Amino acid sequence: MKAKIKPRIDLENRTKLETVIPLTTPFVIFVDPSDVCNFHCKFCPTGDIPLMKKVCRPLKAMDFELYKKIIDDICKFEKPIKVLRLYKDGEPLLNPHFADMIRYAKEKKCAERIDTTTNASLLNPKISLEIIEAGLDRINISIEGVNEEQYANFSSYKINFEKLVDNIRYLYENRKNCEIIIKICGDTLSEDEKKKFYEVFGEIADGVYIEHTMSCWPEFELKDVKVNQELGIYGQKIKEVQVCPYPFYSFSINSDGLASLCFLDWSRKLIIGDTKTESVKDIWNGERLLNYQKMFLRKERKKHPFCSSCGQMSHGLPDDIDNYADELLNKLENK
């Protein structure tokens, strides 16, 4: 197998957040190219169209002029951010300007790395070459089954599995400096199906990984999907923390320009600004974000109506700063 077995995030070479908070420049900014997805996965709220209408999600692609304004804003930080993540709620390749978005940010040098996450169903040779030439540094591909029947059952999507594999192979063979990581949830797969995943995708990726099932979306009930209560998403021990680390180094910008505290804010209940009328830097340095940070450091997450039920805090975290909460709160209050 050519690929290494590695998760989509770096679990080993992480900055100790307690040594750098507060950050003048965020490490990661999520920018969502598309608020809509062509899949209807059982684990994801975006695929539930009646629910999206109920919470008034826009279900649209980000306007390219708004995107350029956001990137220009990001350039105003003291230094480039570590990662511009062109992904949040929807399928990025549904934005017709996706390659242009990569290219614009690359030319502006606002980030050390640009990556995305996709279901790869819309990949074809033309799109693959466009995003590679635009300068994408990394692509995470989510596989939802090892045959067409599993895709139909889990994602309500009719896919030609062989064509999907062929298109990913083409991307891999022409990837240049673009790293390709492919992952699947393995809790419902047989041992033979796991073996097939490694055999098929281990030859056309730089990294492959079999994850465990978790429920990361607050206030969203998984449909016919059982959460793994023995292991976290990356096989780690399940441990719940009180301090959410994400708002101390990242935040998200939705397809309509509204800024969310968190990449899991699917229902837009954690809005901290609007990039259409505010600068990205001002939002990062703003009172709304600061107040959330202080709330977490006071260990009041369980009192918050949305954040209290977040499964990410037990099954998906790579960072734990609970023991440094008092020290960090003092820093924020005196900065």
Side-chain angles (χ1 to χ4, degrees):
M1 185 172 73
K2 296 178 182 178
K4 296 179 180 179
I5 296 179
K6 58 184 293 188
R8 50 186 156 149
I9 67 169
D10 189 345
L11 296 173
E12 299 176 355
N13 303 304
R14 301 187 68 80
T15 300
K16 292 184 180 298
L17 293 176
E18 64 272 14
T19 67
V20 296
I21 295 172
L23 291 168
T24 56
T25 300
F27 286 166
V28 184
I29 297 179
F30 291 74
V31 178
D32 200 0
S34 171
D35 201 22
V36 65
C37 186
N38 55 334
F39 280 21
H40 302 280
C41 298
K42 294 179 178 180
F43 70 88
C44 180
T46 296
D48 188 333
I49 301 303
L51 178 61
M52 293 301 96
K53 291 181 179 179
K54 183 178 179 181
V55 299
C56 299
R57 275 264 297 274
L59 298 178
K60 58 178 287 187
M62 177 175 279
D63 177 78
F64 190 55
E65 292 303 314
L66 172 60
Y67 173 78
K68 289 195 292 184
K69 189 265 183 188
I70 291 168
I71 296 302
D72 292 346
D73 280 356
I74 293 175
C75 291
K76 295 175 183 176
F77 281 109
E78 287 75 6
K79 57 184 178 180
I81 62 174
K82 291 183 180 295
V83 182
L84 173 66
R85 185 148 292 151
L86 295 180
Y87 167 74
K88 183 177 178 281
D89 291 308
E91 169 51 49
L93 295 182
L94 283 171
N95 191 311
H97 298 290
F98 185 63
D100 297 324
M101 297 172 86
I102 299 168
R103 184 177 299 106
Y104 188 82
K106 204 71 176 180
E107 291 174 349
K108 290 290 184 175
K109 299 180 180 180
C110 68
E112 295 177 11
R113 189 179 82 198
I114 302 172
D115 68 22
T116 192
T117 297
T118 174
N119 60 40
S121 64
L122 301 176
L123 274 183
N124 58 43
K126 179 177 181 293
I127 291 176
S128 291
L129 292 180
E130 286 176 349
I131 62 178
I132 290 167
E133 292 301 324
L136 186 66
D137 294 294
R138 180 171 179 172
I139 184 168
N140 300 309
I141 296 176
S142 298
I143 297 298
E144 309 302 349
V146 294
N147 55 54
E148 294 170 6
E149 291 74 21
Q150 288 178 349
Y151 264 85
N153 177 58
F154 190 75
S155 301
S156 299
Y157 190 84
K158 185 176 181 180
I159 201 164
N160 183 324
F161 189 75
E162 290 187 5
K163 185 176 180 181
L164 172 72
V165 173
D166 286 342
N167 283 329
I168 295 175
R169 180 179 295 109
Y170 185 89
L171 175 71
Y172 175 75
E173 292 174 347
N174 294 275
R175 69 192 186 284
K176 294 185 178 179
N177 295 320
C178 181
E179 182 183 24
I180 300 172
I181 305 295
I182 301 177
K183 62 89 174 176
I184 193 171
C185 181
D187 287 347
T188 60
L189 299 180
S190 68
E191 291 305 311
D192 285 342
E193 288 168 339
K194 292 177 184 178
K195 182 179 179 182
K196 179 180 179 181
F197 170 76
Y198 283 129
E199 289 176 346
V200 172
F201 296 103
E203 298 301 317
I204 54 175
D206 299 297
V208 289
Y209 202 75
I210 296 178
E211 297 180 348
H212 296 287
T213 307
M214 63 172 285
S215 177
C216 60
W217 308 102
E219 298 184 342
F220 177 74
E221 186 174 347
L222 301 185
K223 300 176 180 64
D224 303 318
V225 178
K226 187 176 181 180
V227 175
N228 191 313
Q229 297 298 348
E230 297 179 359
L231 295 170
I233 187 172
Y234 304 115
Q236 79 276 30
K237 181 181 178 181
I238 295 173
K239 175 189 176 184
E240 186 167 17
V241 303
Q242 296 304 310
V243 182
C244 176
Y246 294 113
F248 296 93
Y249 69 88
S250 68
F251 70 104
S252 302
I253 301 172
N254 301 300
S255 66
D256 58 358
L258 290 177
S260 284
L261 176 76
C262 175
F263 65 98
L264 298 173
D265 183 25
W266 64 271
S267 56
R268 310 299 187 260
K269 292 184 177 179
L270 304 174
I271 299 302
I272 57 172
D274 187 346
T275 61
K276 295 188 295 295
T277 58
E278 302 170 78
S279 77
V280 172
K281 187 175 181 180
D282 285 346
I283 293 172
W284 174 250
N285 292 315
E287 285 293 321
R288 282 170 287 188
L289 175 58
L290 180 62
N291 288 336
Y292 273 112
Q293 291 174 336
K294 290 180 179 179
M295 181 267 289
F296 287 123
L297 292 175
R298 290 194 297 266
K299 296 186 177 180
E300 296 174 351
R301 178 176 68 83
K302 284 294 187 178
K303 298 179 182 179
H304 192 277
F306 190 78
C307 299
S308 61
S309 61
C310 182
Q312 192 82 12
M313 296 300 100
S314 57
H315 285 65
L317 278 185
D319 305 299
D320 178 0
I321 55 174
D322 275 13
N323 291 336
Y324 305 93
D326 291 341
E327 173 189 342
L328 296 175
L329 180 59
N330 184 58
K331 284 185 178 181
L332 290 188
E333 290 179 336
N334 292 286
K335 78 169 184 177

